[in-house]
Amino acid sequence: MSHDFETTHDRRGTNSLKWQKYAGSDILPMWVADMDFQTSPAIVEALRRRVAHGIFGYAHATADETAAVVEAMQARYGWAILPEWIVWLPGLVCGLNVTAQAFAGPGDQVLCNTPIYPPFMTAATNSGRRSLAVPLALNSAARRWEIDFDAMERAVVAGNGSVKIFLLCNPHNPVARVFRREELLRLAEFCLRHKIVLCSDEIHCDLVLDPALPHIPAATLAPEIAARAITLMAPSKTYNIPGLCTSFAIISNPTLRATFQRAAAGIVAEVNALGYAACAAAYRDSEPWRQELLAYLRGNRDRVREFVAGELPGVTIEAPHEATYLAWLNVSALKLENPVAHFEKHGVGLSDGADFGSPRGAHVRLNFGCPRATLDEALRRMKAAL
């Protein structure tokens, strides 16, 4: 590899949320979706050039920065978008919250599939809407998590017209699924039939680890679904720049877009100049770095899978890991009242599956976006904990 993913960088004392959580303790933080790799050299250089200017006033995306996103959508997904479809955001979480406020009224329901990244559930309740969670189904024969369309149908019918939005996570966090075209088409038909706005969070779309699986933006399925779709994307997870707070929504329907922008007005902050510069450098100049990152993450994924199967009795990975650097581990056989606290006592900080809507004590999430030495030490400590 021409880029270094092996070096362990000391992040203590750098205002790192991930590492500050356990400051002063010998606990390896493997929780929040923040990698321990330095970002692409092209991004670092773009930031150096921007910092050298020395003035950091309010910023808007330049035509060149917007073009970098447009070009990336075409090159990676064959998706021809127009610059005016892009609504810049300081983060994907605020995009979920703006969607809930824009397209559901007080008391209306916002549907999602659990287990799910927690803000999918709180986006509704933050503004007086109701979150409606329908669990994913684990298909044991196919060994994959699937959308339970029968349960979704029952939930919407029972809602009697109150379900206004479906929040999709694809690739899925935390179960690491890449949804196939036939699944997305069935979901699109479901949303169209029930007049539901489809908000698709695709922040992990450039982290598909299985080369045979294409990421398919939901809005590319058909013009009629594009007219009811909001796509949320960002370079933050892939290029490890979440602290630069740069994301965007792609909304082709001008009426939908105007409604979204009205809901955001006066509340959602502007993206900063450094974030725009980093975003353009990510999409336009960092593809070699991304490909090497994917290769390294595949190795880490395989290491986790093999270690869990051979060295962690009572822990399982229930389905193939197709995307993201976040492993979803079933620990229910351990019968621990609080698995996160148990592993913290043995020096590993994980995410609690209960926060994602999983039964308490059933799952934990492990972030393997780190040097192999860090991962191996975390796995060693988990083995000792058992």
Side-chain angles (χ1 to χ4, degrees):
M1 286 188 174
S2 60
H3 299 101
D4 179 17
F5 298 99
E6 287 284 286
T7 297
T8 300
H9 300 280
D10 188 355
R11 299 183 64 188
R12 292 169 297 183
T14 63
N15 292 334
S16 165
L17 172 73
K18 178 180 183 179
W19 285 82
Q20 280 185 336
K21 180 175 181 178
Y22 297 114
S25 303
D26 182 22
I27 299 175
L28 291 174
M30 315 292 283
W31 62 292
V32 69
D34 171 336
M35 296 188 289
D36 288 327
F37 306 127
Q38 289 186 338
T39 191
S40 152
I43 293 174
V44 175
E45 180 55 33
L47 291 172
R48 280 200 188 103
R49 290 195 302 268
R50 186 63 186 82
V51 168
H53 185 260
I55 300 174
F56 308 102
Y58 299 116
H60 286 297
T62 65
D64 185 66
E65 289 162 346
T66 299
V69 174
V70 173
E71 292 162 8
M73 296 303 108
Q74 179 65 57
R76 298 180 186 191
Y77 311 115
W79 188 11
I81 71 170
L82 298 177
E84 57 264 31
W85 295 1
I86 299 172
V87 180
W88 293 94
L89 299 165
L92 266 288
V93 171
C94 73
L96 295 171
N97 282 268
V98 169
T99 297
Q101 292 197 35
F103 302 105
D108 284 339
Q109 297 191 90
V110 179
L111 178 62
C112 64
N113 294 138
T114 51
I116 194 73
Y117 178 50
F120 277 68
M121 296 177 283
T122 58
T125 58
N126 284 341
S127 53
R129 283 69 173 161
R130 292 181 290 159
S131 179
L132 176 60
V134 174
L136 292 168
L138 181 60
N139 184 329
S140 299
R143 287 200 66 235
R144 71 179 192 181
W145 292 90
E146 297 178 343
I147 298 172
D148 187 340
F149 284 101
D150 291 338
M152 294 256 287
E153 194 72 32
R154 290 193 296 270
V156 170
V157 170
N160 195 28
S162 65
V163 179
K164 303 298 183 183
I165 303 165
F166 178 74
L167 300 179
L168 171 67
C169 188
N170 182 36
H172 193 280
N173 172 16
V175 304
R177 265 300 315 276
V178 177
F179 291 107
R180 312 303 197 259
R181 180 174 294 275
E182 60 272 18
E183 295 174 286
L184 294 172
L185 285 170
R186 187 172 178 186
L187 179 61
E189 184 278 330
F190 170 85
C191 290
L192 290 170
R193 180 160 42 85
H194 290 292
K195 297 181 172 56
I196 293 172
V197 170
L198 173 60
C199 178
S200 183
D201 181 343
E202 303 180 13
I203 195 170
H204 296 283
C205 61
D206 292 323
L207 288 167
V208 177
L209 301 184
D210 188 336
L213 293 178
H215 172 73
I216 302 170
T220 65
L221 294 170
E224 55 270 27
I225 191 60
R228 296 193 67 83
I230 296 161
T231 304
L232 302 177
M233 288 186 175
S236 55
K237 300 302 181 187
T238 303
Y239 300 96
N240 205 33
I241 51 173
L244 292 178
C245 301
T246 305
S247 307
F248 51 89
I250 301 175
I251 312 172
S252 61
N253 183 326
T255 302
L256 218 64
R257 188 166 64 249
T259 302
F260 184 93
Q261 290 172 313
R262 280 196 301 271
I267 299 173
V268 176
E270 299 285 343
V271 174
N272 65 78
L274 297 181
Y276 285 129
C279 181
Y283 285 126
R284 185 168 281 156
D285 304 316
S286 301
E287 185 59 11
W289 182 91
R290 184 177 78 95
Q291 290 302 325
E292 291 191 14
L293 169 72
L294 291 175
Y296 195 85
L297 290 177
R298 287 185 197 107
N300 277 4
R301 174 200 59 187
D302 295 345
R303 175 66 173 148
V304 171
R305 180 174 56 198
E306 291 161 7
F307 197 93
V308 167
E311 306 290 340
L312 298 184
V315 181
T316 58
I317 298 175
E318 297 155 301
H321 188 109
E322 299 172 345
T324 81
Y325 48 81
L326 304 164
W328 188 238
L329 308 179
N330 188 321
V331 295
S332 57
L334 301 178
K335 301 189 184 307
L336 296 170
E337 182 178 345
N338 188 335
V340 169
H342 177 78
F343 285 111
E344 283 177 342
K345 288 176 183 176
H346 291 83
V348 183
L350 306 170
S351 295
D352 192 340
D355 294 337
F356 296 75
S358 177
R360 187 160 297 280
H363 292 89
V364 293
R365 192 188 72 172
L366 180 147
N367 175 351
F368 58 79
C370 58
R372 194 72 44 82
T374 303
L375 176 60
D376 283 344
E377 176 60 17
L379 293 173
R380 185 196 67 76
R381 294 181 183 193
M382 291 180 71
K383 181 178 179 180
L386 304 184

